[in-house]
Short mmCIF file of all heavy atoms in Angstrom, two decimals:
data_model
loop_
_atom_site.label_atom_id
_atom_site.label_comp_id
_atom_site.label_asym_id
_atom_site.label_seq_id
_atom_site.Cartn_x
_atom_site.Cartn_y
_atom_site.Cartn_z
N LEU A 495 -31.01 -9.86 192.13
CA LEU A 495 -32.09 -10.31 191.25
C LEU A 495 -33.44 -10.02 191.90
O LEU A 495 -33.73 -10.52 193.00
CB LEU A 495 -31.96 -11.81 190.98
CG LEU A 495 -33.09 -12.46 190.18
CD1 LEU A 495 -33.22 -11.86 188.79
CD2 LEU A 495 -32.88 -13.97 190.08
N ILE A 496 -34.23 -9.21 191.23
CA ILE A 496 -35.57 -8.87 191.71
C ILE A 496 -36.58 -9.57 190.81
O ILE A 496 -36.61 -9.36 189.59
CB ILE A 496 -35.78 -7.35 191.73
CG1 ILE A 496 -34.82 -6.73 192.76
CG2 ILE A 496 -37.24 -7.01 192.04
CD1 ILE A 496 -34.90 -5.22 192.86
N ASP A 497 -37.39 -10.42 191.42
CA ASP A 497 -38.37 -11.23 190.70
C ASP A 497 -39.71 -10.50 190.70
O ASP A 497 -40.29 -10.27 191.77
CB ASP A 497 -38.50 -12.59 191.40
CG ASP A 497 -39.37 -13.57 190.64
OD1 ASP A 497 -40.25 -13.12 189.88
OD2 ASP A 497 -39.18 -14.79 190.83
N PRO A 498 -40.23 -10.10 189.54
CA PRO A 498 -41.50 -9.38 189.49
C PRO A 498 -42.65 -10.12 190.17
O PRO A 498 -43.58 -9.49 190.69
CB PRO A 498 -41.78 -9.21 187.99
CG PRO A 498 -40.43 -9.27 187.37
CD PRO A 498 -39.64 -10.25 188.20
N ASP A 499 -42.60 -11.47 190.17
CA ASP A 499 -43.66 -12.24 190.82
C ASP A 499 -43.60 -12.15 192.34
O ASP A 499 -44.59 -12.43 193.01
CB ASP A 499 -43.56 -13.72 190.41
CG ASP A 499 -44.49 -14.06 189.25
OD1 ASP A 499 -45.20 -13.15 188.77
OD2 ASP A 499 -44.50 -15.23 188.83
N LYS A 500 -42.44 -11.79 192.89
CA LYS A 500 -42.26 -11.81 194.34
C LYS A 500 -42.20 -10.43 194.98
O LYS A 500 -42.46 -10.27 196.16
CB LYS A 500 -40.99 -12.58 194.70
CG LYS A 500 -41.06 -14.06 194.32
CD LYS A 500 -39.75 -14.76 194.61
CE LYS A 500 -39.81 -16.23 194.19
NZ LYS A 500 -38.52 -16.90 194.30
N VAL A 501 -41.84 -9.42 194.19
CA VAL A 501 -41.64 -8.09 194.77
C VAL A 501 -42.99 -7.39 194.99
O VAL A 501 -43.93 -7.57 194.21
CB VAL A 501 -40.73 -7.23 193.88
CG1 VAL A 501 -41.43 -6.80 192.60
CG2 VAL A 501 -40.21 -6.03 194.63
N VAL A 523 -33.59 -8.10 186.69
CA VAL A 523 -35.05 -8.22 186.89
C VAL A 523 -35.55 -9.39 186.07
O VAL A 523 -35.35 -9.45 184.85
CB VAL A 523 -35.79 -6.93 186.47
CG1 VAL A 523 -37.30 -7.12 186.61
CG2 VAL A 523 -35.32 -5.75 187.30
N GLY A 524 -36.20 -10.34 186.76
CA GLY A 524 -36.77 -11.47 186.04
C GLY A 524 -36.95 -12.66 186.94
O GLY A 524 -36.62 -12.64 188.12
N GLY A 525 -37.49 -13.70 186.34
CA GLY A 525 -37.75 -14.95 187.03
C GLY A 525 -38.32 -15.93 186.03
O GLY A 525 -38.49 -15.60 184.85
N SER A 526 -38.62 -17.11 186.50
CA SER A 526 -39.14 -18.13 185.58
C SER A 526 -40.52 -17.77 185.04
O SER A 526 -40.90 -18.17 183.94
CB SER A 526 -39.19 -19.49 186.29
OG SER A 526 -37.89 -19.89 186.62
N THR A 527 -41.28 -17.01 185.84
CA THR A 527 -42.63 -16.61 185.42
C THR A 527 -42.84 -15.13 185.73
O THR A 527 -42.12 -14.54 186.54
CB THR A 527 -43.71 -17.43 186.16
OG1 THR A 527 -43.53 -17.25 187.57
CG2 THR A 527 -43.62 -18.92 185.82
N ASP A 528 -43.82 -14.55 185.06
CA ASP A 528 -44.27 -13.19 185.37
C ASP A 528 -45.79 -13.23 185.29
O ASP A 528 -46.41 -12.74 184.36
CB ASP A 528 -43.67 -12.19 184.39
CG ASP A 528 -44.11 -10.75 184.68
OD1 ASP A 528 -44.67 -10.52 185.77
OD2 ASP A 528 -43.89 -9.87 183.82
N THR A 529 -46.37 -13.84 186.31
CA THR A 529 -47.79 -14.18 186.30
C THR A 529 -48.70 -12.99 186.05
O THR A 529 -49.72 -13.08 185.37
CB THR A 529 -48.17 -14.84 187.65
OG1 THR A 529 -47.22 -15.88 187.93
CG2 THR A 529 -49.57 -15.43 187.61
N TYR A 530 -48.32 -11.83 186.60
CA TYR A 530 -49.20 -10.66 186.53
C TYR A 530 -48.66 -9.57 185.59
O TYR A 530 -49.08 -8.42 185.67
CB TYR A 530 -49.42 -10.09 187.94
CG TYR A 530 -49.96 -11.12 188.89
CD1 TYR A 530 -49.12 -11.70 189.86
CD2 TYR A 530 -51.28 -11.57 188.80
CE1 TYR A 530 -49.61 -12.68 190.71
CE2 TYR A 530 -51.77 -12.54 189.66
CZ TYR A 530 -50.94 -13.09 190.61
OH TYR A 530 -51.41 -14.07 191.46
N ASN A 531 -47.74 -9.96 184.70
CA ASN A 531 -47.17 -9.01 183.73
C ASN A 531 -46.66 -7.74 184.40
O ASN A 531 -46.96 -6.62 183.97
CB ASN A 531 -48.21 -8.65 182.65
CG ASN A 531 -48.63 -9.86 181.84
OD1 ASN A 531 -47.78 -10.63 181.40
ND2 ASN A 531 -49.92 -10.02 181.66
N LYS A 532 -45.87 -7.93 185.45
CA LYS A 532 -45.39 -6.79 186.24
C LYS A 532 -44.00 -6.31 185.83
O LYS A 532 -43.52 -5.30 186.35
CB LYS A 532 -45.35 -7.17 187.73
CG LYS A 532 -46.71 -7.23 188.40
CD LYS A 532 -46.65 -7.89 189.77
CE LYS A 532 -45.74 -7.18 190.75
NZ LYS A 532 -45.69 -7.86 192.06
N THR A 533 -43.35 -7.02 184.91
CA THR A 533 -41.94 -6.70 184.63
C THR A 533 -41.73 -5.22 184.31
O THR A 533 -40.86 -4.57 184.89
CB THR A 533 -41.40 -7.58 183.47
OG1 THR A 533 -41.41 -8.94 183.87
CG2 THR A 533 -39.98 -7.19 183.10
N VAL A 536 -42.24 -2.94 187.32
CA VAL A 536 -41.17 -3.15 188.30
C VAL A 536 -39.88 -2.45 187.84
O VAL A 536 -39.22 -1.77 188.62
CB VAL A 536 -40.93 -4.66 188.55
CG1 VAL A 536 -39.64 -4.90 189.33
CG2 VAL A 536 -42.11 -5.27 189.31
N PHE A 551 -33.55 -10.36 182.97
CA PHE A 551 -33.18 -11.78 183.09
C PHE A 551 -34.47 -12.56 182.81
O PHE A 551 -35.16 -13.01 183.72
CB PHE A 551 -32.65 -12.01 184.51
CG PHE A 551 -32.37 -13.44 184.87
CD1 PHE A 551 -31.37 -14.15 184.22
CD2 PHE A 551 -33.09 -14.07 185.87
CE1 PHE A 551 -31.12 -15.47 184.57
CE2 PHE A 551 -32.84 -15.38 186.23
CZ PHE A 551 -31.85 -16.08 185.57
N PRO A 552 -34.87 -12.65 181.52
CA PRO A 552 -36.23 -13.08 181.20
C PRO A 552 -36.47 -14.58 181.31
O PRO A 552 -35.60 -15.38 180.95
CB PRO A 552 -36.39 -12.61 179.74
CG PRO A 552 -35.01 -12.66 179.20
CD PRO A 552 -34.08 -12.32 180.33
N GLY A 553 -37.66 -14.93 181.78
CA GLY A 553 -38.05 -16.34 181.83
C GLY A 553 -38.60 -16.80 180.50
O GLY A 553 -38.53 -17.98 180.15
N ASP A 554 -39.18 -15.87 179.73
CA ASP A 554 -39.61 -16.20 178.37
C ASP A 554 -39.66 -14.92 177.54
O ASP A 554 -39.35 -13.83 178.03
CB ASP A 554 -40.95 -16.97 178.34
CG ASP A 554 -42.16 -16.14 178.72
OD1 ASP A 554 -42.22 -14.94 178.35
OD2 ASP A 554 -43.05 -16.67 179.38
N TYR A 555 -40.04 -15.07 176.27
CA TYR A 555 -39.93 -13.96 175.32
C TYR A 555 -40.80 -12.77 175.68
O TYR A 555 -40.54 -11.63 175.25
CB TYR A 555 -40.27 -14.44 173.90
CG TYR A 555 -41.74 -14.64 173.64
CD1 TYR A 555 -42.51 -13.62 173.09
CD2 TYR A 555 -42.37 -15.85 173.96
CE1 TYR A 555 -43.87 -13.79 172.86
CE2 TYR A 555 -43.71 -16.02 173.73
CZ TYR A 555 -44.47 -15.00 173.19
OH TYR A 555 -45.80 -15.17 172.98
N SER A 556 -41.85 -12.98 176.49
CA SER A 556 -42.76 -11.88 176.81
C SER A 556 -42.23 -10.98 177.93
O SER A 556 -42.75 -9.89 178.15
CB SER A 556 -44.13 -12.43 177.20
OG SER A 556 -44.05 -13.14 178.43
N HIS A 557 -41.18 -11.42 178.63
CA HIS A 557 -40.67 -10.64 179.76
C HIS A 557 -39.64 -9.60 179.29
O HIS A 557 -38.52 -9.55 179.77
CB HIS A 557 -40.01 -11.55 180.80
CG HIS A 557 -40.89 -12.64 181.30
ND1 HIS A 557 -40.43 -13.66 182.09
CD2 HIS A 557 -42.22 -12.89 181.11
CE1 HIS A 557 -41.42 -14.49 182.38
NE2 HIS A 557 -42.52 -14.04 181.79
N VAL A 558 -40.06 -8.77 178.35
CA VAL A 558 -39.14 -7.80 177.75
C VAL A 558 -39.75 -6.41 177.85
O VAL A 558 -40.94 -6.24 177.60
CB VAL A 558 -38.87 -8.15 176.26
CG1 VAL A 558 -38.03 -7.06 175.59
CG2 VAL A 558 -38.17 -9.50 176.14
N TYR A 578 -36.28 -23.74 174.96
CA TYR A 578 -35.45 -22.77 175.69
C TYR A 578 -34.03 -22.68 175.15
O TYR A 578 -33.23 -21.87 175.62
CB TYR A 578 -35.47 -23.09 177.19
CG TYR A 578 -36.84 -22.82 177.76
CD1 TYR A 578 -37.81 -23.82 177.76
CD2 TYR A 578 -37.19 -21.56 178.21
CE1 TYR A 578 -39.10 -23.57 178.23
CE2 TYR A 578 -38.47 -21.29 178.67
CZ TYR A 578 -39.42 -22.30 178.68
OH TYR A 578 -40.69 -22.04 179.13
N TYR A 602 -26.75 -20.13 179.54
CA TYR A 602 -27.30 -20.35 180.88
C TYR A 602 -27.22 -21.84 181.21
O TYR A 602 -27.77 -22.67 180.47
CB TYR A 602 -28.75 -19.86 180.89
CG TYR A 602 -29.46 -19.87 182.21
CD1 TYR A 602 -29.08 -19.00 183.23
CD2 TYR A 602 -30.55 -20.72 182.43
CE1 TYR A 602 -29.77 -19.00 184.44
CE2 TYR A 602 -31.23 -20.72 183.63
CZ TYR A 602 -30.83 -19.85 184.63
OH TYR A 602 -31.50 -19.84 185.83
N THR A 611 -36.10 -26.75 191.07
CA THR A 611 -36.29 -25.31 190.96
C THR A 611 -37.38 -24.98 189.95
O THR A 611 -37.78 -25.81 189.15
CB THR A 611 -34.99 -24.64 190.52
OG1 THR A 611 -34.65 -25.13 189.20
CG2 THR A 611 -33.85 -24.93 191.49
N ALA A 612 -37.81 -23.70 190.00
CA ALA A 612 -38.81 -23.24 189.04
C ALA A 612 -38.29 -23.36 187.61
O ALA A 612 -39.05 -23.67 186.69
CB ALA A 612 -39.19 -21.79 189.35
N VAL A 613 -36.99 -23.14 187.43
CA VAL A 613 -36.40 -23.25 186.08
C VAL A 613 -36.60 -24.66 185.54
O VAL A 613 -36.98 -24.85 184.38
CB VAL A 613 -34.90 -22.90 186.08
CG1 VAL A 613 -34.31 -23.05 184.68
CG2 VAL A 613 -34.66 -21.50 186.60
N GLN A 614 -36.36 -25.67 186.39
CA GLN A 614 -36.57 -27.06 185.97
C GLN A 614 -38.00 -27.29 185.54
O GLN A 614 -38.27 -27.87 184.49
CB GLN A 614 -36.30 -28.01 187.14
CG GLN A 614 -34.84 -28.35 187.36
CD GLN A 614 -34.71 -29.26 188.56
OE1 GLN A 614 -34.29 -28.81 189.62
NE2 GLN A 614 -35.08 -30.51 188.42
N ARG A 615 -38.94 -26.84 186.38
CA ARG A 615 -40.37 -27.10 186.10
C ARG A 615 -40.82 -26.40 184.83
O ARG A 615 -41.49 -26.98 183.99
CB ARG A 615 -41.22 -26.65 187.29
CG ARG A 615 -41.04 -27.51 188.53
CD ARG A 615 -42.09 -27.21 189.58
NE ARG A 615 -42.01 -25.84 190.06
CZ ARG A 615 -41.21 -25.44 191.05
NH1 ARG A 615 -40.39 -26.30 191.65
NH2 ARG A 615 -41.20 -24.17 191.46
N VAL A 616 -40.46 -25.13 184.70
CA VAL A 616 -40.92 -24.35 183.56
C VAL A 616 -40.25 -24.81 182.26
O VAL A 616 -40.90 -24.93 181.23
CB VAL A 616 -40.66 -22.84 183.80
CG1 VAL A 616 -40.92 -22.03 182.54
CG2 VAL A 616 -41.53 -22.34 184.95
N SER A 617 -38.94 -25.08 182.32
CA SER A 617 -38.21 -25.43 181.10
C SER A 617 -38.29 -26.92 180.77
O SER A 617 -37.91 -27.34 179.68
CB SER A 617 -36.74 -25.03 181.24
OG SER A 617 -36.08 -25.84 182.21
N SER A 651 -33.18 -20.65 192.04
CA SER A 651 -33.77 -19.95 193.17
C SER A 651 -34.15 -20.96 194.26
O SER A 651 -34.76 -21.99 193.99
CB SER A 651 -35.02 -19.20 192.71
OG SER A 651 -35.66 -18.60 193.80
N GLU A 703 -34.60 -11.73 199.58
CA GLU A 703 -36.07 -11.89 199.61
C GLU A 703 -36.52 -12.35 200.98
O GLU A 703 -37.56 -11.93 201.48
CB GLU A 703 -36.51 -12.91 198.57
CG GLU A 703 -36.41 -12.42 197.13
CD GLU A 703 -36.55 -13.54 196.11
OE1 GLU A 703 -36.79 -14.71 196.51
OE2 GLU A 703 -36.40 -13.26 194.92
#
Side-chain angles (χ1 to χ4, degrees):
L495 175 61
I496 295 178
D497 187 334
D499 264 0
K500 295 176 182 173
V501 72
V523 177
S526 296
T527 57
D528 181 12
T529 310
Y530 304 105
N531 297 313
K532 285 168 60 180
T533 296
V536 168
F551 173 65
D554 71 38
Y555 76 93
S556 67
H557 305 171
V558 174
Y578 291 89
Y602 186 68
T611 63
V613 179
Q614 278 178 255
R615 290 191 298 274
V616 171
S617 68
S651 175
E703 288 167 3

